[in-house]
Amino acid sequence: MKLKYKLFTMAAAALLTLGVTTSCSDDDFDPTIFDTTEYPLDRSSVTFPLDTFCIENFRIPYNLRYVYKMEDIGSDMQKNLVPASYENSKELAVLTKYLWYDAYVQCAGEEFLKIYSPRIIHVIGSKSYNPVSGTETLGEAEGGLKITLYGANDLDVNNIELLNENFFKTMHHEFGHILAQNYTYPTSFQTISQGLYNPVDWQDEQDSIALTQGFVSTYAMSQIREDWVEVLANYIVKDTITWAGMLNTASYDWEEVEIDASYYKRCEALGANRDSVGYYVSDGTTSSTGSVTGYNVVRKVISRDADGNPLLDENGNMIYLQQDGVDGRDVILQKLDLVRTWLKDNFNVDLDELRREVQKREWVMDADGNFVVEDGHLVNKLMAPYEEGSSQTLMDVLLNEVDKFEELQQ
């Protein structure tokens, strides 16, 4: 140690003798030894157009990474998952911007998304099945920062209902979890359906029975926090006809009963795969020889005689019974009103305005602002002509926002 110190002092003295001094001025720094070159995206890459679109429309305005090149470290390593195809990733990216981000910007402003938007959207091509429970995970929200979407390779823009069910209901659902981490939902919500949640066997319940108990989906029955965001997400994406049908179904009590095969055959003669006042046949039971011995039917609860035949009132109408003491329609509307108030009070977002904005982007409307109905269904706007007489659909126009960057490729 003494030798090193002696050499150091001798060297310092020599420098002073030569008149060499040091300075703290920034102007005297030599060029940095680090590489500070800003490398652009690889223009020779086939994914350059989508990568550029994502930077301009997600990364720059919202600090969001749209990850479609699957990152195994960020996915469930216990499942067999595959990446999303480039074309499906492109479709989902433009739809995410159009149906989610642009809709929120229109109703809540960019600043809202800059504050509350997730920082990563991770897109997986395959579905995520849970073999033990027999369920499918459509999406996940992690730590208020990341949303994972599954099944991108099954995306079909021709089917808005399925598009909403598999992707956009999931997006609003998971985004609802993120918002609830900033402002918790009211305690009064927790008491409305107290005692009716089924965290173990919710997946075995039927939709109609869930509705009659005041849940917008069977998954909403699993726990309070899922019930909350299911109300939010379903209300936003369910079209007016479907939502009205759900409330109508919730107005009645429903039951699941087993009927024998001979009774089912008599019902089948009525021209439907159900009994005369039933809803649908959920499954059947078989004997050891493989023959069907009975069917499970979900049906409205009505007054019946000892043989199971409907009893009619003096006007010849069915007599509907209330057995569980729950008005499902009223419960759903109570929950919806709490969600509506919470969103307005905490985020200044009008839920009905947001719903209208989302749905007018999905469905064709007439000159008076009413939804166009054909054969009992709303008309898919994504696949309709973008302008009268145009051969391009709205989806073509949205995809052009990615394809235009092909001109920059080398």
Side-chain angles (χ1 to χ4, degrees):
M1 292 295 293
K2 292 181 179 179
L3 178 61
K4 291 181 179 178
Y5 177 73
K6 183 177 181 180
L7 290 174
F8 173 78
T9 54
M10 290 175 64
L15 289 173
L16 290 173
T17 302
L18 294 172
V20 178
T21 59
T22 59
S23 170
C24 292
S25 170
D26 291 344
D27 296 334
D28 294 335
F29 279 140
D30 291 329
T32 177
I33 63 172
F34 299 104
D35 185 0
T36 59
T37 305
E38 292 188 12
Y39 293 99
L41 292 173
D42 181 2
R43 298 193 182 194
S44 65
S45 171
V46 295
T47 65
F48 173 81
L50 180 54
D51 295 335
T52 307
F53 172 88
C54 291
I55 288 177
E56 290 203 355
N57 293 279
F58 295 132
R59 178 72 69 86
I60 293 176
Y62 308 116
N63 193 25
L64 165 69
R65 290 179 60 221
Y66 179 85
V67 181
Y68 66 95
K69 300 172 183 177
M70 192 178 84
E71 298 178 346
D72 57 354
I73 195 65
S75 58
D76 190 339
M77 304 290 279
Q78 303 301 314
K79 295 182 178 179
N80 293 322
L81 303 172
V82 301
S85 71
Y86 179 74
E87 289 302 320
N88 287 123
S89 298
K90 185 166 69 171
E91 290 182 343
L92 187 56
V94 299
L95 289 173
T96 297
K97 177 181 182 295
Y98 176 69
L99 293 177
W100 181 9
Y101 276 76
D102 287 354
Y104 268 103
V105 167
Q106 185 67 32
C107 299
E110 273 197 350
E111 196 62 28
F112 169 83
L113 285 173
K114 288 179 179 179
I115 296 173
Y116 299 110
S117 167
R119 297 301 171 230
I120 301 173
I121 294 178
H122 192 194
V123 178
I124 308 294
S126 53
K127 294 180 180 293
S128 176
Y129 295 108
N130 308 303
V132 175
S133 62
T135 60
E136 177 187 346
T137 300
L138 297 178
E140 297 172 320
E142 302 172 33
L145 298 174
K146 177 181 178 182
I147 289 179
T148 300
L149 300 172
Y150 295 98
N153 289 339
D154 291 326
L155 186 149
D156 181 7
V157 295
N158 293 287
N159 189 330
I160 292 288
E161 289 90 350
L162 198 59
L163 194 69
N164 277 331
E165 190 67 26
N166 290 344
F167 299 101
F168 291 96
K169 188 181 81 171
T170 302
M171 290 183 189
H172 293 292
H173 174 111
E174 301 301 343
F175 191 37
H177 280 310
I178 291 176
L179 295 178
Q181 290 178 10
N182 289 272
Y183 295 94
T184 187
Y185 45 81
T187 55
S188 56
F189 184 88
Q190 302 179 36
T191 62
I192 297 178
S193 295
Q194 193 171 17
L196 296 177
Y197 292 100
N198 182 7
V200 178
D201 300 320
W202 61 267
Q203 67 273 8
D204 298 326
E205 198 56 271
Q206 303 297 336
D207 292 338
S208 296
I209 294 177
L211 286 165
T212 197
Q213 293 185 16
F215 298 100
V216 294
S217 68
T218 55
Y219 188 44
M221 303 179 73
S222 64
Q223 52 184 310
I224 295 171
R225 64 190 296 269
E226 302 302 343
D227 188 11
W228 175 261
V229 293
E230 277 291 277
V231 173
L232 170 69
N234 276 275
Y235 184 66
I236 291 174
V237 302
K238 298 295 186 187
D239 64 75
T240 52
I241 295 175
T242 301
W243 182 256
M246 289 169 62
L247 292 180
N248 181 62
T249 296
S251 301
Y252 298 95
D253 271 7
W254 295 77
E255 61 184 354
E256 184 173 15
V257 296
E258 183 176 354
I259 59 175
D260 60 44
S262 59
Y263 179 70
Y264 173 70
K265 290 184 181 299
R266 295 200 304 273
C267 298
E268 205 173 23
L270 297 173
N273 192 28
R274 62 190 206 180
D275 80 345
S276 56
V277 287
Y279 188 41
Y280 59 86
V281 176
S282 58
D283 53 27
T285 55
T286 57
S287 66
S288 57
T289 61
S291 60
V292 177
T293 59
Y295 295 90
N296 289 336
V297 174
V298 180
R299 63 189 184 187
K300 292 178 182 178
V301 178
I302 63 171
S303 182
R304 297 175 181 271
D305 62 22
D307 296 323
N309 298 311
L311 292 175
L312 307 179
D313 62 18
E314 62 273 14
N315 297 316
N317 299 317
M318 299 284 185
I319 304 172
Y320 297 102
L321 303 178
Q322 285 286 334
Q323 292 185 322
D324 60 12
V326 178
D327 183 340
R329 183 180 188 277
D330 181 62
V331 170
I332 290 173
L333 292 178
Q334 283 184 55
K335 293 177 179 178
L336 176 61
D337 190 56
L338 287 173
V339 172
R340 181 185 287 116
T341 302
W342 171 83
L343 204 59
K344 184 66 175 178
D345 288 349
N346 294 299
F347 303 99
N348 196 31
V349 175
D350 187 314
L351 178 60
D352 296 287
E353 179 187 355
L354 176 61
R355 179 183 190 236
R356 181 75 173 178
E357 184 64 32
V358 168
Q359 295 200 12
K360 78 177 186 180
R361 291 167 179 266
E362 295 181 331
W363 309 106
V364 173
M365 301 177 71
D366 61 23
D368 297 323
N370 300 311
F371 292 107
V372 175
V373 179
E374 293 181 359
D375 300 323
H377 297 280
L378 305 187
V379 180
N380 184 339
K381 185 175 181 178
L382 296 175
M383 300 309 292
Y386 179 64
E387 296 175 338
E388 188 175 353
S390 173
S391 60
Q392 278 196 321
T393 65
L394 172 58
M395 194 63 194
D396 292 330
V397 173
L398 295 177
L399 289 173
N400 285 342
E401 291 301 304
V402 177
D403 296 338
K404 68 182 182 182
F405 293 111
E406 292 178 357
E407 299 175 2
L408 302 177
Q409 285 184 290
Q410 294 178 346

